[in-house]
Coordinates of all heavy atoms in Angstrom, one line a residue:
M1 N 219.5 122.6 141.1 CA 220.4 123.2 142.0 C 221.4 122.2 142.5 O 222.6 122.5 142.7 CB 219.6 123.9 143.1 CG 220.6 124.5 144.2 SD 219.8 125.1 145.6 CE 219.2 126.7 145.0
L2 N 221.0 121.0 142.7 CA 221.9 119.9 143.2 C 222.4 119.0 142.0 O 221.6 118.7 141.1 CB 221.2 119.0 144.2 CG 220.7 119.6 145.5 CD1 220.1 118.6 146.3 CD2 221.8 120.3 146.2
N3 N 223.6 118.6 142.1 CA 224.1 117.6 141.1 C 223.9 116.2 141.7 O 223.5 116.0 142.8 CB 225.6 117.9 140.7 CG 226.5 117.7 141.9 OD1 226.4 116.8 142.7 ND2 227.5 118.6 142.0
K4 N 224.1 115.2 140.9 CA 223.8 113.8 141.3 C 224.6 113.4 142.5 O 224.1 112.7 143.4 CB 224.2 112.9 140.1 CG 223.8 111.4 140.4 CD 224.0 110.6 139.2 CE 223.6 109.1 139.5 NZ 223.7 108.3 138.4
K5 N 225.9 113.8 142.6 CA 226.7 113.5 143.8 C 226.1 114.1 145.1 O 226.1 113.4 146.1 CB 228.1 114.0 143.5 CG 229.1 113.7 144.6 CD 230.5 114.2 144.2 CE 231.5 113.9 145.2 NZ 232.9 114.3 144.8
E6 N 225.7 115.3 145.0 CA 225.1 115.9 146.2 C 223.8 115.3 146.6 O 223.5 115.1 147.8 CB 224.9 117.4 145.9 CG 226.2 118.2 145.7 CD 226.0 119.5 145.1 OE1 225.0 119.8 144.5 OE2 227.0 120.3 145.1
I7 N 222.9 114.9 145.6 CA 221.7 114.2 145.9 C 222.0 112.9 146.6 O 221.3 112.6 147.6 CB 220.9 114.0 144.6 CG1 220.4 115.4 144.1 CG2 219.7 113.0 144.8 CD1 219.8 115.3 142.7
E8 N 222.9 112.1 146.1 CA 223.2 110.8 146.7 C 223.8 111.0 148.1 O 223.5 110.2 149.0 CB 224.2 110.0 145.8 CG 223.6 109.6 144.5 CD 222.3 108.8 144.6 OE1 222.3 107.9 145.4 OE2 221.4 109.1 143.8
F9 N 224.5 112.0 148.3 CA 225.1 112.3 149.6 C 224.0 112.6 150.6 O 224.0 112.1 151.7 CB 226.0 113.5 149.5 CG 226.6 114.0 150.8 CD1 227.7 113.3 151.4 CD2 226.1 115.1 151.5 CE1 228.2 113.7 152.6 CE2 226.6 115.5 152.7 CZ 227.6 114.8 153.3
L10 N 223.0 113.5 150.2 CA 221.9 113.8 151.1 C 221.0 112.6 151.4 O 220.4 112.6 152.5 CB 221.1 115.0 150.6 CG 221.9 116.3 150.6 CD1 221.0 117.4 149.9 CD2 222.3 116.7 152.0
K11 N 220.9 111.7 150.5 CA 220.0 110.6 150.7 C 220.4 109.6 151.8 O 219.6 108.9 152.3 CB 219.9 109.8 149.4 CG 219.0 110.4 148.4 CD 218.9 109.5 147.2 CE 217.9 110.0 146.1 NZ 217.8 109.0 145.0
V12 N 221.7 109.7 152.2 CA 222.1 108.8 153.3 C 221.7 109.2 154.7 O 221.7 108.4 155.6 CB 223.7 108.6 153.3 CG1 224.2 108.1 151.9 CG2 224.4 109.9 153.7
F13 N 221.2 110.4 154.8 CA 220.8 110.9 156.1 C 219.3 110.6 156.4 O 218.4 111.0 155.5 CB 221.0 112.4 156.3 CG 222.5 112.7 156.2 CD1 223.1 113.1 155.0 CD2 223.3 112.6 157.3 CE1 224.4 113.5 155.0 CE2 224.6 112.9 157.3 CZ 225.2 113.3 156.1
D14 N 218.9 110.0 157.5 CA 217.5 109.8 157.8 C 216.9 111.1 158.3 O 215.8 111.4 158.1 CB 217.4 108.7 158.9 CG 217.8 107.3 158.4 OD1 217.6 107.1 157.2 OD2 218.3 106.5 159.2
D15 N 217.7 111.8 159.1 CA 217.2 113.1 159.7 C 217.4 114.2 158.7 O 218.2 114.2 157.8 CB 218.0 113.4 161.0 CG 217.8 112.4 162.1 OD1 216.7 111.8 162.1 OD2 218.8 112.2 162.8
D16 N 216.6 115.3 158.9 CA 216.7 116.5 158.1 C 217.9 117.2 158.6 O 218.0 117.6 159.8 CB 215.5 117.3 158.3 CG 215.3 118.4 157.2 OD1 216.0 118.3 156.1 OD2 214.5 119.3 157.4
I17 N 218.9 117.4 157.8 CA 220.1 118.1 158.2 C 220.2 119.5 157.5 O 219.6 119.7 156.5 CB 221.4 117.3 157.9 CG1 221.5 117.0 156.4 CG2 221.5 116.1 158.7 CD1 222.8 116.5 155.9
C18 N 220.9 120.4 158.1 CA 221.1 121.7 157.6 C 222.4 121.9 157.0 O 223.5 121.4 157.5 CB 221.0 122.7 158.8 SG 221.1 124.4 158.3
I19 N 222.4 122.5 155.8 CA 223.7 122.8 155.1 C 223.8 124.3 155.0 O 222.9 125.0 154.6 CB 223.6 122.2 153.6 CG1 223.4 120.7 153.6 CG2 224.9 122.6 152.9 CD1 222.0 120.3 153.3
T20 N 225.0 124.8 155.4 CA 225.3 126.2 155.4 C 226.6 126.4 154.7 O 227.4 125.5 154.5 CB 225.4 126.8 156.8 OG1 226.4 126.2 157.5 CG2 224.0 126.7 157.5
K21 N 226.9 127.6 154.3 CA 228.1 128.0 153.7 C 228.5 129.3 154.3 O 227.7 130.1 154.7 CB 227.8 128.3 152.2 CG 228.9 128.1 151.3 CD 228.4 128.2 149.9 CE 229.4 127.7 148.9 NZ 229.0 127.8 147.5
D22 N 229.8 129.5 154.5 CA 230.3 130.8 155.0 C 230.7 131.7 153.9 O 230.7 131.3 152.7 CB 231.4 130.7 156.1 CG 232.7 130.2 155.6 OD1 232.9 130.1 154.3 OD2 233.6 129.9 156.4
I23 N 231.0 133.0 154.2 CA 231.3 133.9 153.1 C 232.6 133.6 152.3 O 232.7 134.0 151.2 CB 231.5 135.4 153.8 CG1 231.4 136.4 152.7 CG2 232.8 135.5 154.5 CD1 231.2 137.8 153.2
N24 N 233.4 132.7 152.9 CA 234.6 132.2 152.2 C 234.4 131.0 151.3 O 235.3 130.4 150.7 CB 235.7 131.9 153.2 CG 236.1 133.2 153.9 OD1 236.3 134.2 153.3 ND2 236.2 133.1 155.2
G25 N 233.1 130.5 151.3 CA 232.8 129.3 150.5 C 232.9 128.0 151.1 O 232.7 127.0 150.5
R26 N 233.3 127.9 152.4 CA 233.4 126.7 153.1 C 232.0 126.2 153.4 O 231.1 127.0 153.8 CB 234.2 126.8 154.4 CG 235.6 127.2 154.2 CD 236.4 127.3 155.4 NE 235.7 128.2 156.4 CZ 235.9 128.2 157.7 NH1 236.9 127.4 158.2 NH2 235.3 129.1 158.5
V27 N 231.7 124.9 153.3 CA 230.4 124.3 153.4 C 230.4 123.4 154.7 O 231.3 122.7 155.0 CB 230.0 123.4 152.2 CG1 228.7 122.8 152.4 CG2 230.1 124.3 150.9
F28 N 229.3 123.5 155.4 CA 229.1 122.8 156.7 C 227.8 122.1 156.8 O 226.8 122.6 156.2 CB 229.2 123.8 157.9 CG 230.5 124.6 157.9 CD1 230.6 125.8 157.3 CD2 231.6 124.1 158.5 CE1 231.8 126.5 157.3 CE2 232.8 124.8 158.6 CZ 232.9 126.0 157.9
L29 N 227.8 121.0 157.6 CA 226.5 120.3 157.9 C 226.3 120.4 159.4 O 227.3 120.5 160.2 CB 226.7 118.8 157.6 CG 226.8 118.3 156.2 CD1 226.9 116.8 156.3 CD2 225.6 118.7 155.4
T30 N 225.0 120.5 159.8 CA 224.7 120.5 161.2 C 223.3 119.9 161.3 O 222.5 120.0 160.4 CB 224.8 121.9 161.8 OG1 224.5 121.8 163.2 CG2 223.8 122.9 161.2
K31 N 223.0 119.3 162.5 CA 221.6 118.9 162.8 C 220.9 120.0 163.6 O 219.7 119.9 163.8 CB 221.7 117.6 163.7 CG 222.1 116.4 162.9 CD 222.2 115.2 163.8 CE 220.8 114.6 163.9 NZ 220.8 113.3 164.6
D32 N 221.6 121.1 163.9 CA 221.0 122.2 164.6 C 220.5 123.2 163.7 O 220.5 123.1 162.5 CB 222.1 122.9 165.5 CG 222.8 121.9 166.5 OD1 222.0 121.1 167.1 OD2 224.0 121.9 166.6
R33 N 219.9 124.3 164.2 CA 219.4 125.4 163.4 C 220.3 126.6 163.7 O 220.1 127.3 164.7 CB 218.0 125.7 163.8 CG 217.0 124.6 163.5 CD 215.7 125.1 163.0 NE 214.9 123.9 162.7 CZ 214.5 123.7 161.5 NH1 214.9 124.4 160.5 NH2 213.7 122.6 161.2
P34 N 221.3 126.8 162.8 CA 222.3 127.9 163.1 C 221.7 129.3 162.9 O 220.7 129.5 162.3 CB 223.4 127.6 162.1 CG 222.6 126.9 161.0 CD 221.5 126.1 161.6
V35 N 222.5 130.2 163.4 CA 222.1 131.7 163.3 C 223.2 132.3 162.5 O 224.4 132.2 162.7 CB 222.0 132.3 164.7 CG1 221.8 133.8 164.6 CG2 220.9 131.6 165.5
L36 N 222.8 133.1 161.5 CA 223.8 133.8 160.6 C 224.2 135.1 161.2 O 223.4 136.0 161.6 CB 223.2 134.0 159.2 CG 224.0 134.8 158.2 CD1 225.3 134.1 157.9 CD2 223.2 135.1 156.9
D37 N 225.5 135.4 161.3 CA 226.1 136.7 161.6 C 226.6 137.3 160.3 O 227.6 136.9 159.8 CB 227.3 136.5 162.5 CG 227.9 137.9 162.9 OD1 227.8 138.8 162.2 OD2 228.5 137.9 164.0
E38 N 225.7 138.1 159.7 CA 226.0 138.7 158.3 C 227.3 139.6 158.4 O 227.9 139.7 157.3 CB 224.8 139.4 157.8 CG 223.7 138.5 157.3 CD 222.7 139.2 156.5 OE1 223.1 139.9 155.5 OE2 221.5 139.0 156.7
T39 N 227.6 140.2 159.5 CA 228.7 141.1 159.6 C 230.0 140.2 159.4 O 230.9 140.6 158.7 CB 228.8 141.8 161.0 OG1 227.6 142.5 161.1 CG2 229.9 142.7 161.0
L40 N 230.1 139.1 160.0 CA 231.2 138.2 159.9 C 231.1 137.2 158.7 O 232.1 136.7 158.3 CB 231.4 137.4 161.2 CG 231.7 138.2 162.4 CD1 231.8 137.2 163.6 CD2 233.1 138.9 162.3
G41 N 229.9 137.0 158.2 CA 229.7 136.1 157.1 C 229.8 134.7 157.6 O 230.2 133.8 156.8
E42 N 229.5 134.4 158.8 CA 229.6 133.1 159.4 C 228.3 132.7 160.1 O 227.5 133.5 160.6 CB 230.7 133.0 160.4 CG 232.1 133.3 159.8 CD 233.2 133.3 160.9 OE1 232.9 133.4 162.1 OE2 234.3 133.3 160.5
W43 N 228.1 131.4 160.3 CA 227.0 130.8 161.0 C 227.4 130.4 162.4 O 228.6 129.9 162.6 CB 226.4 129.6 160.2 CG 225.8 130.0 158.9 CD1 226.5 130.1 157.7 CD2 224.5 130.2 158.7 NE1 225.6 130.5 156.8 CE2 224.3 130.6 157.3 CE3 223.3 130.2 159.5 CZ2 223.1 130.9 156.7 CZ3 222.1 130.6 158.9 CH2 222.0 130.9 157.5
H44 N 226.6 130.6 163.4 CA 226.9 130.3 164.8 C 225.8 129.5 165.4 O 224.7 129.2 164.9 CB 227.1 131.6 165.5 CG 228.2 132.4 165.0 ND1 229.5 132.2 165.3 CD2 228.2 133.5 164.2 CE1 230.3 133.1 164.7 NE2 229.5 133.9 164.0
K45 N 226.0 129.1 166.7 CA 225.1 128.4 167.6 C 224.7 127.0 167.1 O 223.5 126.7 167.1 CB 223.8 129.3 167.8 CG 224.2 130.6 168.5 CD 223.0 131.4 168.9 CE 223.4 132.6 169.7 NZ 222.3 133.4 170.1
A46 N 225.7 126.3 166.6 CA 225.4 124.9 166.1 C 226.8 124.2 166.1 O 227.8 124.8 166.1 CB 224.8 125.0 164.7
D47 N 226.7 122.9 166.2 CA 227.9 122.0 166.0 C 228.0 121.7 164.5 O 227.1 121.1 164.0 CB 227.7 120.8 166.8 CG 227.8 121.1 168.3 OD1 228.6 122.0 168.7 OD2 227.1 120.4 169.1
F48 N 229.1 122.1 163.9 CA 229.2 121.9 162.5 C 230.3 120.8 162.1 O 231.2 120.6 162.8 CB 229.7 123.2 161.8 CG 228.7 124.3 161.9 CD1 228.9 125.3 162.9 CD2 227.7 124.4 161.0 CE1 228.0 126.4 163.0 CE2 226.8 125.5 161.1 CZ 226.9 126.4 162.1
I49 N 230.1 120.2 161.0 CA 231.0 119.4 160.3 C 231.3 120.0 159.0 O 230.4 120.3 158.2 CB 230.5 117.9 160.1 CG1 230.2 117.3 161.5 CG2 231.5 117.1 159.3 CD1 229.4 116.0 161.3
E50 N 232.6 120.3 158.7 CA 233.0 120.9 157.4 C 233.1 119.8 156.3 O 233.6 118.7 156.5 CB 234.3 121.6 157.5 CG 234.6 122.4 156.3 CD 235.8 123.3 156.5 OE1 236.4 123.4 157.6 OE2 236.2 124.0 155.5
L51 N 232.5 120.1 155.2 CA 232.5 119.2 154.0 C 233.7 119.6 153.1 O 234.2 120.7 153.1 CB 231.2 119.3 153.2 CG 230.0 118.8 153.9 CD1 228.8 119.0 153.0 CD2 230.1 117.4 154.3
E52 N 234.0 118.6 152.2 CA 234.9 118.9 151.1 C 234.4 120.0 150.2 O 233.2 120.2 150.0 CB 235.1 117.6 150.3 CG 235.8 116.5 151.0 CD 237.2 116.8 151.5 OE1 237.9 117.5 150.8 OE2 237.5 116.4 152.6
P53 N 235.3 120.8 149.7 CA 234.9 122.0 148.9 C 234.1 121.8 147.6 O 233.4 122.6 147.1 CB 236.2 122.8 148.6 CG 237.3 121.8 148.9 CD 236.7 120.7 149.8
E54 N 234.1 120.5 147.1 CA 233.4 120.3 145.9 C 231.9 120.1 146.1 O 231.1 120.0 145.1 CB 234.0 119.0 145.1 CG 233.7 117.7 145.8 CD 234.8 117.2 146.7 OE1 235.8 118.0 146.9 OE2 234.8 116.1 147.1
Y55 N 231.4 120.0 147.3 CA 230.0 119.8 147.6 C 229.3 121.2 147.7 O 229.8 122.1 148.3 CB 229.8 119.1 148.9 CG 230.0 117.6 148.8 CD1 231.2 117.0 149.2 CD2 229.0 116.8 148.3 CE1 231.4 115.7 149.1 CE2 229.2 115.4 148.2 CZ 230.4 114.9 148.6 OH 230.6 113.5 148.5
F56 N 228.1 121.2 147.1 CA 227.2 122.4 147.3 C 227.8 123.7 146.9 O 227.6 124.7 147.6 CB 226.6 122.4 148.7 CG 226.0 121.1 149.1 CD1 226.7 120.2 150.0 CD2 224.8 120.7 148.6 CE1 226.1 119.0 150.4 CE2 224.3 119.4 148.9 CZ 224.9 118.6 149.8
K57 N 228.4 123.8 145.8 CA 229.1 125.0 145.3 C 228.0 126.1 144.9 O 228.3 127.3 145.0 CB 230.0 124.7 144.1 CG 231.2 123.9 144.4 CD 232.0 123.7 143.2 CE 233.3 123.0 143.5 NZ 234.1 122.8 142.3
N58 N 226.8 125.6 144.5 CA 225.8 126.6 144.0 C 224.9 127.2 145.1 O 224.0 128.0 144.8 CB 224.9 125.9 143.0 CG 225.7 125.5 141.8 OD1 226.6 126.2 141.4 ND2 225.3 124.4 141.2
L59 N 225.2 126.9 146.4 CA 224.4 127.4 147.5 C 224.9 128.8 147.9 O 226.1 129.1 147.9 CB 224.4 126.5 148.7 CG 223.9 125.1 148.4 CD1 223.9 124.3 149.7 CD2 222.6 125.0 147.8
S60 N 224.0 129.6 148.4 CA 224.3 131.0 148.9 C 224.8 130.9 150.3 O 224.2 130.1 151.1 CB 223.0 131.9 148.8 OG 223.3 133.1 149.5
W61 N 225.7 131.7 150.7 CA 226.1 131.7 152.1 C 225.2 132.4 153.0 O 225.2 132.3 154.3 CB 227.5 132.4 152.2 CG 227.6 133.9 152.0 CD1 227.8 134.4 150.8 CD2 227.4 134.9 152.9 NE1 227.8 135.8 150.9 CE2 227.6 136.1 152.2 CE3 227.2 135.0 154.3 CZ2 227.4 137.4 152.8 CZ3 227.1 136.2 154.9 CH2 227.2 137.4 154.2
K62 N 224.2 133.1 152.5 CA 223.2 133.9 153.3 C 222.0 133.1 153.7 O 221.1 133.7 154.3 CB 222.8 135.2 152.6 CG 223.9 136.2 152.5 CD 223.4 137.5 151.9 CE 224.5 138.5 151.9 NZ 224.1 139.8 151.5
R63 N 221.9 131.8 153.3 CA 220.7 131.1 153.6 C 221.1 129.7 154.1 O 222.1 129.1 153.7 CB 220.0 130.9 152.3 CG 218.8 130.0 152.4 CD 218.0 129.9 151.1 NE 217.1 128.8 151.2 CZ 216.6 128.1 150.2 NH1 216.9 128.4 149.0 NH2 215.8 127.1 150.4
A64 N 220.3 129.2 155.1 CA 220.5 127.8 155.6 C 219.6 126.9 154.7 O 218.4 127.3 154.5 CB 220.1 127.7 157.0
Y65 N 220.1 125.8 154.3 CA 219.3 124.9 153.4 C 219.1 123.6 154.2 O 219.9 123.2 155.0 CB 220.1 124.5 152.2 CG 220.4 125.7 151.3 CD1 221.5 126.5 151.5 CD2 219.6 126.0 150.2 CE1 221.7 127.6 150.7 CE2 219.8 127.1 149.4 CZ 220.9 127.9 149.6 OH 221.1 129.0 148.8
F66 N 218.0 123.0 154.0 CA 217.7 121.7 154.7 C 217.5 120.6 153.7 O 216.9 120.8 152.7 CB 216.4 121.9 155.6 CG 216.6 122.9 156.7 CD1 216.4 124.2 156.5 CD2 217.2 122.4 157.9 CE1 216.7 125.1 157.6 CE2 217.4 123.3 158.9 CZ 217.2 124.7 158.8
S67 N 218.1 119.5 154.1 CA 218.2 118.3 153.2 C 216.9 117.9 152.6 O 216.8 117.6 151.4 CB 219.0 117.2 153.8 OG 218.3 116.7 155.0
K68 N 215.9 117.7 153.4 CA 214.6 117.2 152.9 C 214.0 118.2 151.9 O 213.5 117.8 150.9 CB 213.7 117.0 154.0 CG 214.2 115.9 155.0 CD 213.2 115.0 155.5 CE 213.7 114.0 156.5 NZ 214.4 112.9 155.9
Q69 N 214.2 119.5 152.1 CA 213.6 120.5 151.2 C 214.5 120.4 149.8 O 213.9 120.5 148.8 CB 213.7 121.9 151.7 CG 213.2 122.9 150.8 CD 213.4 124.3 151.4 OE1 213.8 124.5 152.5 NE2 213.0 125.3 150.6
L70 N 215.8 120.3 150.0 CA 216.6 120.3 148.8 C 216.3 119.0 147.9 O 216.2 119.1 146.7 CB 218.1 120.3 149.1 CG 218.7 121.6 149.7 CD1 220.1 121.4 150.2 CD2 218.6 122.7 148.6
L71 N 216.1 117.9 148.6 CA 215.8 116.7 147.9 C 214.4 116.8 147.2 O 214.2 116.3 146.1 CB 215.9 115.5 148.8 CG 217.3 115.1 149.2 CD1 217.2 114.0 150.3 CD2 218.1 114.6 148.0
A72 N 213.5 117.4 147.9 CA 212.1 117.5 147.3 C 212.2 118.4 146.1 O 211.6 118.1 145.1 CB 211.2 118.1 148.3
E73 N 213.0 119.5 146.2 CA 213.1 120.4 145.0 C 213.8 119.7 143.8 O 213.6 120.0 142.7 CB 213.9 121.6 145.4 CG 213.1 122.6 146.3 CD 214.0 123.7 146.9 OE1 215.1 123.9 146.5 OE2 213.4 124.5 147.7
A74 N 214.6 118.7 144.2 CA 215.3 118.0 143.1 C 214.5 116.8 142.6 O 215.0 116.0 141.8 CB 216.7 117.5 143.6
G75 N 213.3 116.6 143.1 CA 212.4 115.6 142.7 C 212.7 114.2 143.3 O 212.4 113.2 142.8
Q76 N 213.4 114.2 144.4 CA 213.7 113.0 145.1 C 212.8 112.7 146.2 O 212.9 112.6 147.3 CB 215.2 113.0 145.6 CG 216.2 113.3 144.5 CD 216.2 112.2 143.4 OE1 216.3 111.0 143.8 NE2 216.1 112.5 142.2

């Protein structure tokens, strides 16, 4: 699911971070646990940092992903 660039990016964080995507394909990072508003297609109740669009293209906008779980699934 993750490419090499995404794996290396996630490895720099000591804490487990959350990666989300909105319905328009924008990708965000947060240390919080956001809540999805499916009607709007957006995540709320967290402080977000928007990433460049080339990161995490294969993730679904309906799910919150956590870095430690993604790295474990990638064998890291």
Side-chain angles (χ1 to χ4, degrees):
M1 178 184 279
L2 298 179
N3 63 39
K4 184 176 181 174
K5 184 177 181 178
E6 293 164 345
I7 290 169
E8 293 305 315
F9 177 80
L10 291 178
K11 282 182 173 181
V12 302
F13 296 97
D14 291 330
D15 296 328
D16 197 17
I17 57 167
C18 180
I19 301 103
T20 61
K21 203 173 197 179
D22 69 9
I23 198 167
N24 296 314
R26 297 181 308 162
V27 179
F28 302 92
L29 290 181
T30 183
K31 289 179 83 177
D32 304 316
R33 298 216 178 247
V35 175
L36 177 61
D37 181 334
E38 288 195 47
T39 305
L40 296 176
E42 297 176 347
W43 293 85
H44 298 280
K45 298 188 179 183
D47 292 323
F48 295 100
I49 297 171
E50 187 170 358
L51 294 178
E52 294 296 321
E54 70 265 8
Y55 283 98
F56 306 106
K57 290 182 180 182
N58 295 326
L59 302 184
S60 168
W61 68 271
K62 291 186 176 186
R63 179 178 163 204
Y65 298 86
F66 293 89
S67 59
K68 299 221 184 278
Q69 179 184 0
L70 288 172
L71 287 171
E73 290 172 3
Q76 302 296 311

